[in-house]
Amino acid sequence: MNNPIKYPFERNSYFYGKLLTVRDFESEQQYVNDKRRLLNRLLFGSGIVTGLQVVRVDDKQITVEAGVAIDRYGREIVVPAPRKLQLSTIKGFSNNNYEQDVYVTLSYVEKGKEGVNPVTHSAIVDDKEMKFSRVLEEYAIEVKEQAPNPDDFDDLNLTHSYSVLHEDEQVRVLHIVPRYVQVGTTFEGRVVVEKTVKTPDVTLLFEVNGEECYLPGNAQGKVVFDTFESGSYTLKAGLKPGINGQVLIPAGTAVLTYGDRRIEIPHHDIRHAFELVEGAVEARIERAFYERKFDQVMRPMDHTKNCIYLAKVRLTRVDDVNYTIEEVVPAPFGEYICNSSLLRKIGSNGVGGVTEGASFGVHAKAAWLKAGEEPSLEASFDRRTQQLHMALGVPAPAKVEERLKVTTGTVDLPLTPPVRHGLNPFARLSSHSYSTEIEHGLGLGPVRIELGVEESSENAVADMLDRGDRLFCGEADVFRESEFDPDTPDVTLGAVVYPKKGTFRVGLRLNQHTDRTSIRLRWWAYQTVDGEVRAAQLQTAYKQIAETDSVTPES
């Protein structure tokens, strides 16, 4: 079908004495109509402008409310008054399947009006041929029993890539992926199931492969949807802007199940290409909109596809010859034209203004602050572009010459034979030994003490076997009955620290009989630089306490 808009535009040139013919008057009308329709088509697009709601009246009837729409050639369609219709009498309703979804559509038609006989010479026009003196711009309401191909909607394909995974009389499965994805962010692949009212729940399992994207936490790439009508899964985008990625569902790797039917789909590879962008996705979509070729926008189309889908009507079979209208879904493909003043008000009030499916993105940067400064975090959110901007300030680490002080030494503790304490004949045998107070040399304040058992031997054979001087730390019992079996008895060690004195005491519990009379312990005392500062503060506090304690109360 040729494009009904004729360009380049040509208009009449009037002058005195010009002979005006039918061609001149027709070209005058066509010039005005084509200019207006071109602007409608390019500025507003196609869809419902106002009204045109489809309302269920009863089990068999619907009403189409008054309203205005613009078709894909920019032609205005006006329904001046509500119209009640018997669904089965609408053109396109075949009456051969009452368990399906049908679509109520609206299209532009022209009809002749006021028929007259031409007043002219019979040699030019047959004076018996009826002519219409008016053209009535009308509308047609029809039923379509097949869902449209997503490729028929330019606005949908501008932002997302659509594929039909499966379609039969009961179920249609669509797979949807964004055309533009921000680098390094997560985005969603969506699956939408369109099924008749009485179709059982649908289960879908399929495999996803990706280029410049992957399924985080899903190495096998398996996606499962159980008893659903729409669902999504998460993909992680790559980090290289300006290149194209791909989401692939290989042929035969998906299984669709509903009722007792199990169908392997798709019959061929499903490929969705997307572009990785560094900035806001919405800005890239806007650029793609303005980069469209004029021939692409103005391409002719099959007149049967140039319609507005007003509603999806869901039917249920009652018996072999009867049906009932179960539900009416308005504008199933979102064909609306938004008023520019409404969009401006929505945007100025800070509500909405975000396209469905717009991807959420995060832009973050970090900077070092001077050491000692407070960390900072600034965040702002752009509702229109769905972008979160964050700036983090991190204080530089303070330079410390020395962060840990360590001292060490040894202490010999006597061992006494273990005895059983109490009257319980099953009580454990043990004995205890304690050291005197030991100065650790780190001054006042808290310190951490670690202990180990030293084992030394003057036996040459022991030195050959690498069993000479050894130091056991922690639970030495873990080495018993091994090639590293300690010669020292089983003991439990502990220490008590006196922060006010700068000293500590070591304690030992002997858990078994031994011929040894003493045992040597190695100790380490640790204090951090921060601990040293706290120790100085404690010294001042202890001194104040001591001065307070030395004051004798008056009698």
Side-chain angles (χ1 to χ4, degrees):
M1 177 181 177
N2 294 329
N3 198 319
I5 299 179
K6 307 297 182 181
Y7 53 86
F9 294 104
E10 180 182 291
R11 70 178 187 270
N12 267 316
S13 175
Y14 297 103
F15 56 89
Y16 285 104
K18 178 177 180 176
L19 177 62
L20 297 177
T21 66
V22 171
R23 172 177 172 268
D24 295 305
F25 290 106
E26 286 180 342
S27 64
E28 182 74 15
Q29 287 189 351
Q30 184 172 1
Y31 174 79
V32 174
N33 283 336
D34 284 356
K35 272 290 187 74
R36 187 186 70 254
R37 290 168 179 172
L38 178 66
L39 291 178
N40 284 345
R41 185 171 183 173
L42 298 181
L43 291 179
F44 307 121
S46 61
I48 300 168
V49 178
T50 184
L52 300 178
Q53 297 88 353
V54 178
V55 181
R56 179 183 182 273
V57 177
D58 54 32
D59 291 346
K60 299 289 191 299
Q61 297 184 96
I62 60 171
T63 294
V64 178
E65 299 291 342
V68 176
I70 298 176
D71 74 1
R72 297 177 195 180
Y73 284 145
R75 299 177 297 193
E76 304 91 344
I77 309 172
V78 179
V79 178
R83 187 171 172 187
K84 182 188 291 187
L85 298 164
Q86 184 91 6
L87 187 63
S88 60
T89 63
I90 301 177
K91 181 182 177 181
F93 192 85
S94 64
N95 295 326
N96 59 6
N97 186 354
Y98 296 142
E99 288 187 353
Q100 63 179 354
D101 295 338
V102 297
Y103 298 88
V104 178
T105 66
L106 180 73
S107 56
Y108 174 90
V109 295
E110 292 181 352
K111 296 179 181 179
K113 185 180 180 182
E114 297 183 9
V116 296
N117 292 318
V119 180
T120 185
H121 196 280
S122 60
I124 301 175
V125 178
D126 185 0
D127 57 2
K128 295 181 180 180
E129 182 182 356
M130 180 74 70
K131 297 293 183 180
F132 294 101
S133 63
R134 294 288 185 270
V135 175
L136 181 62
E137 295 185 346
E138 266 281 4
Y139 63 90
I141 296 175
E142 298 181 2
V143 165
K144 294 187 182 297
E145 296 183 338
Q146 295 293 326
N149 192 313
D151 291 336
D152 295 340
F153 300 94
D154 291 340
D155 54 343
L156 295 180
N157 283 275
L158 181 66
T159 59
H160 290 78
S161 170
Y162 289 75
S163 292
V164 179
L165 294 182
H166 175 75
E167 185 172 14
D168 59 30
E169 293 181 351
Q170 294 179 281
V171 174
R172 185 169 83 151
V173 182
L174 299 177
H175 186 252
I176 309 168
V177 173
R179 289 197 181 274
Y180 305 99
V181 177
Q182 192 175 49
V183 293
T185 61
T186 59
F187 64 101
E188 289 186 347
R190 290 191 292 150
V191 177
V192 177
V193 173
E194 299 171 354
K195 64 186 186 71
T196 59
V197 174
K198 290 191 175 181
T199 299
D201 290 334
V202 173
T203 299
L204 178 64
L205 181 148
F206 60 96
E207 178 182 319
V208 176
N209 297 329
E211 296 178 7
E212 298 300 328
C213 67
Y214 63 93
L215 274 74
N218 188 341
Q220 296 181 344
K222 299 289 186 182
V223 179
V224 179
F225 292 111
D226 190 15
T227 62
F228 79 112
E229 291 192 7
S230 65
S232 62
Y233 59 94
T234 300
L235 293 156
K236 180 76 172 182
L239 300 174
K240 301 176 182 178
I243 66 174
N244 292 329
Q246 178 178 256
V247 177
L248 168 66
I249 301 179
T253 60
V255 177
L256 176 70
T257 305
Y258 63 92
D260 56 357
R261 298 193 63 182
R262 185 180 185 277
I263 308 169
E264 292 187 1
I265 57 172
H267 302 300
H268 56 85
D269 290 349
I270 300 294
R271 301 177 185 272
H272 294 268
F274 63 88
E275 180 183 329
L276 289 171
V277 298
E278 191 167 15
V281 170
E282 289 70 22
R284 181 64 184 88
I285 293 174
E286 183 180 7
R287 180 158 64 91
F289 177 82
Y290 290 116
E291 288 177 348
R292 295 178 302 167
K293 294 182 178 180
F294 184 61
D295 291 343
Q296 174 190 356
V297 178
M298 300 299 295
R299 70 185 186 278
M301 66 177 65
D302 185 348
H303 74 278
T304 61
K305 296 181 179 180
N306 189 10
C307 60
I308 308 300
Y309 286 80
L310 299 182
K312 177 168 71 173
V313 181
R314 314 196 71 184
L315 305 179
T316 301
R317 180 193 295 271
V318 177
D319 51 41
D320 291 341
V321 295
N322 288 304
Y323 66 90
T324 181
I325 298 175
E326 188 74 22
E327 181 186 9
V328 175
V329 180
F333 305 105
E335 294 180 277
Y336 288 106
I337 295 176
C338 295
N339 185 288
S340 58
S341 62
L342 172 63
L343 292 177
R344 184 174 64 252
K345 290 179 180 179
I346 290 175
S348 63
N349 290 335
V351 294
V354 179
T355 304
E356 180 183 358
S359 59
F360 173 80
V362 178
H363 298 269
K365 61 180 181 180
W368 288 111
L369 303 177
K370 293 182 180 179
E373 289 188 12
E374 291 293 325
S376 64
L377 176 62
E378 298 180 359
S380 62
F381 181 65
D382 189 332
R383 293 182 59 90
R384 184 182 64 83
T385 62
Q386 291 286 285
Q387 302 298 304
L388 176 63
H389 300 272
M390 302 177 66
L392 176 65
V394 182
K399 294 182 179 179
V400 179
E401 296 292 335
E402 183 183 7
R403 299 200 61 85
L404 188 68
K405 284 188 173 184
V406 183
T407 58
T408 185
T410 60
V411 58
D412 293 322
L413 291 183
L415 298 178
T416 57
V419 295
R420 183 173 286 110
H421 299 278
L423 301 177
N424 185 358
F426 302 102
R428 186 174 182 178
L429 295 172
S430 64
S431 65
H432 299 78
S433 299
Y434 306 101
S435 71
T436 58
E437 288 188 29
I438 305 170
E439 282 195 27
H440 47 63
L442 298 177
L444 304 185
V447 296
R448 178 165 59 89
I449 303 295
E450 289 189 5
L451 299 172
V453 178
E454 283 194 353
E455 180 184 286
S456 61
S457 174
E458 298 180 354
N459 190 325
V461 176
D463 289 338
M464 293 175 60
L465 296 176
D466 198 21
R467 291 172 57 91
D469 294 345
R470 295 187 294 179
L471 179 64
F472 289 91
C473 299
E475 295 290 337
D477 196 48
V478 300
F479 297 103
R480 297 198 182 278
E481 298 182 0
S482 72
E483 58 180 310
F484 314 108
D485 193 2
D487 296 332
T488 56
D490 178 20
V491 295
T492 303
L493 305 177
V496 56
V497 177
Y498 303 102
K500 294 182 180 181
K501 299 179 181 180
T503 61
F504 69 98
R505 188 188 303 273
V506 175
L508 173 150
R509 183 178 67 200
L510 180 62
N511 300 320
Q512 68 177 82
H513 288 284
T514 179
D515 295 332
R516 287 176 174 265
T517 58
S518 66
I519 191 169
R520 174 162 291 183
L521 305 182
R522 166 68 64 177
W523 58 265
W524 294 267
Y526 300 89
Q527 186 181 64
T528 63
V529 173
D530 292 340
E532 186 179 10
V533 174
R534 289 197 299 271
Q537 296 172 344
L538 285 172
Q539 281 183 327
T540 302
Y542 294 153
K543 183 177 179 180
Q544 293 174 349
I545 294 173
E547 291 175 353
T548 303
D549 291 343
S550 64
V551 176
T552 303
E554 296 181 359
S555 56

